[in-house]
Amino acid sequence: GIQVEQSPPDLILQEGANSTLRCNFSDSVNNLQWFHQNPWGQLINLFYIPSGTKQNGRLSATTVATERYSLLYISSSQTTDSGVYFCAVERATGFQKLVFGTGTRLLVSP
Amino acid sequence: GAGVSQTPSNKVTEKGKYVELRCDPISGHTALYWYRQSLGQGPEFLIYFQGTGAADDSGLPNDRFFAVRPEGSVSTLKIQRTERGDSAVYLCASSPGTSQGYEQYFGPGTRLTVT
């Protein structure tokens, strides 16, 4: 099956810092989503981005489908950004299901 | 509008018992998915419904697990003869389309603990 790798696995930032999270995937995809899992376990949709670039406030994301990677940018980080960030993909040929990466655990300290 | 809802939010059961977990998808969403998340890992796919039928159940770990969606809306995940290894958060998601490439929206999950 498709492999999804995220880096770094852990990240510690001071409030106000910027960061870049990376997601590599091993096959063509129809769907790529970025999620933030908050401390209560809720998966919050950040971006639906199978290709191209999107921005939402302090967050932006870029997917280069031909090179099989996606980047999530967090600017001016806040303590509420803490949690686990997951990248999930749906393989272009095959069944309709998301395959998740192992996540990046982010801790933003005041 | 309302998001995906799941009940109960927490379930503690004894080994060997039967449990049912319920999912209410976003109104009008035709596709429904179940995933399972163990501690420290990303969610893993269990089963996918298009309407009332299970289009892909390849992620169900064994025949103790079964899911239904009789009217194409609410779904129930059923686990027989629970084992301690079944302890996890069970997540439900829905999407508006039945072909590939639609965004999935997740519920808050049911935390199952088997003692």
Side-chain angles (χ1 to χ4, degrees):
Chain A
I2 192 168
Q3 304 300 313
V4 184
E5 296 180 351
Q6 291 186 242
S7 60
D10 295 279
L11 188 56
I12 300 174
L13 299 174
Q14 284 270 297
E15 202 167 25
N18 303 329
S19 62
T20 301
L21 281 58
R22 186 176 179 104
C23 172
N24 292 335
F25 44 96
S26 61
D27 206 342
S28 299
V29 299
N30 276 341
N31 178 5
L32 188 147
Q33 293 184 239
W34 282 98
F35 296 93
H36 175 213
Q37 190 163 44
N38 65 22
W40 296 271
Q42 175 73 55
L43 278 170
I44 299 166
N45 289 39
L46 297 178
F47 293 102
Y48 167 75
I49 187 166
S51 63
T53 297
K54 292 186 177 180
Q55 180 156 6
N56 184 1
R58 297 182 295 103
L59 303 182
S60 63
T62 295
T63 297
V64 183
T66 53
E67 297 187 20
R68 298 181 183 169
Y69 73 89
S70 184
L71 302 174
L72 177 68
Y73 306 96
I74 305 174
S75 64
S76 304
S77 58
Q78 301 176 357
T79 56
T80 52
D81 295 333
S82 296
V84 183
Y85 290 79
F86 287 106
C87 166
V89 303
E90 179 185 292
R91 192 176 168 198
T93 55
F95 295 110
Q96 189 171 339
K97 61 187 177 186
L98 288 176
V99 177
F100 282 75
T102 50
T104 292
R105 185 175 301 274
L106 174 63
L107 177 63
V108 181
S109 58
Chain B
V4 178
S5 62
Q6 293 185 245
T7 54
S9 55
N10 282 284
K11 176 72 176 178
V12 180
T13 191
E14 292 180 348
K15 179 177 178 294
K17 298 290 189 183
Y18 168 82
V19 296
E20 290 189 350
L21 312 179
R22 176 187 168 106
C23 172
D24 276 271
I26 293 172
S27 178
H29 279 194
T30 50
L32 185 146
Y33 313 79
W34 285 97
Y35 294 82
R36 179 168 74 171
Q37 187 174 22
S38 300
L39 195 62
Q41 299 182 13
E44 294 181 326
F45 170 80
L46 295 176
I47 187 169
Y48 153 56
F49 286 89
Q50 288 181 357
T52 60
D56 180 2
D57 64 358
S58 62
L60 295 178
N62 52 60
D63 61 5
R64 295 186 297 105
F65 288 75
F66 189 70
V68 295
R69 195 186 184 199
E71 297 179 359
S73 178
V74 171
S75 176
T76 304
L77 179 66
K78 308 181 181 197
I79 310 174
Q80 298 178 323
R81 304 183 305 280
T82 51
E83 300 177 355
R84 292 194 180 89
D86 299 334
S87 297
V89 176
Y90 290 81
L91 295 164
C92 176
S94 68
S95 71
T98 55
S99 60
Q100 290 185 324
Y102 283 91
E103 187 171 4
Q104 295 187 27
Y105 300 85
F106 281 77
T110 294
R111 183 175 300 277
L112 176 65
T113 303
V114 182
T115 62

